[in-house]
Amino acid sequence: VATVDAFQGREKDLVLVSCVRAPACGKKDRPQTIGFLKDRNRLNVLLSRARLGCWVVGHGATLKQNGDWKDVLN
Protein backbone atom coordinates (compact mmCIF):
# COMPACT_ATOMS: atom_id res chain seq x y z
CA VAL A 1 0.00 0.00 0.00
CA ALA A 2 1.39 3.38 -0.99
CA THR A 3 0.52 6.74 -2.48
CA VAL A 4 0.55 7.32 -6.24
CA ASP A 5 3.74 9.33 -5.84
CA ALA A 6 5.46 6.34 -4.23
CA PHE A 7 4.85 4.25 -7.35
CA GLN A 8 6.82 6.57 -9.62
CA GLY A 9 9.10 4.29 -11.65
CA ARG A 10 7.59 1.03 -10.28
CA GLU A 11 4.98 -1.35 -11.65
CA LYS A 12 2.51 -3.70 -9.95
CA ASP A 13 0.22 -6.38 -11.35
CA LEU A 14 -2.88 -4.71 -9.92
CA VAL A 15 -3.38 -1.12 -8.85
CA LEU A 16 -6.35 -0.21 -6.66
CA VAL A 17 -7.00 3.52 -6.42
CA SER A 18 -9.29 5.07 -3.84
CA CYS A 19 -10.49 8.56 -4.75
CA VAL A 20 -12.24 9.90 -1.68
CA ARG A 21 -13.48 13.22 -3.04
CA ALA A 22 -17.26 13.61 -3.16
CA PRO A 23 -19.67 16.51 -2.71
CA ALA A 24 -21.55 16.92 0.52
CA CYS A 25 -25.01 15.49 -0.15
CA GLY A 26 -27.66 18.20 -0.28
CA LYS A 27 -25.10 21.02 0.04
CA LYS A 28 -25.59 23.14 -3.08
CA ASP A 29 -23.21 25.83 -1.80
CA ARG A 30 -20.26 23.42 -2.01
CA PRO A 31 -18.91 22.92 -5.54
CA GLN A 32 -17.81 19.52 -6.78
CA THR A 33 -14.03 19.59 -6.89
CA ILE A 34 -11.42 16.88 -7.14
CA GLY A 35 -8.50 18.75 -5.57
CA PHE A 36 -5.13 17.06 -6.08
CA LEU A 37 -6.79 14.31 -8.16
CA LYS A 38 -6.85 16.73 -11.10
CA ASP A 39 -3.05 16.51 -11.38
CA ARG A 40 -2.47 14.98 -14.82
CA ASN A 41 0.94 13.57 -13.80
CA ARG A 42 -0.58 11.59 -10.91
CA LEU A 43 -3.31 10.26 -13.21
CA ASN A 44 -0.67 9.15 -15.69
CA VAL A 45 1.34 7.38 -12.97
CA LEU A 46 -1.65 5.52 -11.55
CA LEU A 47 -2.81 4.34 -14.99
CA SER A 48 0.60 3.39 -16.33
CA ARG A 49 1.85 1.40 -13.30
CA ALA A 50 -0.68 -1.42 -13.55
CA ARG A 51 0.45 -4.45 -15.56
CA LEU A 52 -2.78 -6.46 -15.48
CA GLY A 53 -5.51 -4.22 -14.10
CA CYS A 54 -6.43 -0.94 -12.47
CA TRP A 55 -9.48 -0.53 -10.24
CA VAL A 56 -10.69 2.97 -9.42
CA VAL A 57 -13.07 3.45 -6.50
CA GLY A 58 -14.60 6.90 -6.27
CA HIS A 59 -17.54 9.20 -6.87
CA GLY A 60 -17.92 9.03 -10.65
CA ALA A 61 -19.99 12.18 -11.07
CA THR A 62 -17.41 14.23 -9.18
CA LEU A 63 -14.45 12.73 -11.04
CA LYS A 64 -16.15 13.36 -14.40
CA GLN A 65 -16.11 17.11 -13.69
CA ASN A 66 -12.47 16.90 -14.82
CA GLY A 67 -11.94 16.26 -18.55
CA ASP A 68 -9.06 13.79 -18.10
CA TRP A 69 -10.95 11.70 -15.55
CA LYS A 70 -14.08 11.84 -17.71
CA ASP A 71 -12.12 10.35 -20.63
CA VAL A 72 -10.71 7.58 -18.41
CA LEU A 73 -14.08 6.67 -16.87
CA ASN A 74 -15.94 6.72 -20.16
Side-chain angles (χ1 to χ4, degrees):
V1 175
T3 65
V4 170
D5 296 332
F7 279 94
Q8 189 75 30
R10 295 174 34 200
E11 290 184 340
K12 294 292 181 181
D13 287 340
L14 177 66
V15 174
L16 173 61
V17 182
S18 175
C19 304
V20 296
R21 299 285 179 161
C25 295
K27 304 276 183 167
K28 294 182 179 181
D29 60 331
R30 293 186 183 175
Q32 293 181 329
T33 62
I34 61 171
F36 71 90
L37 295 172
K38 68 184 173 197
D39 185 330
R40 191 176 250 187
N41 292 327
R42 284 191 171 110
L43 181 59
N44 178 54
V45 169
L46 79 90
L47 294 176
S48 63
R49 299 306 169 225
R51 288 187 202 123
L52 302 175
C54 179
W55 293 0
V56 177
V57 179
H59 190 260
T62 300
L63 291 172
K64 286 183 177 182
Q65 297 300 313
N66 175 273
D68 293 329
W69 273 100
K70 185 175 183 177
D71 290 343
V72 168
L73 296 175
N74 286 336

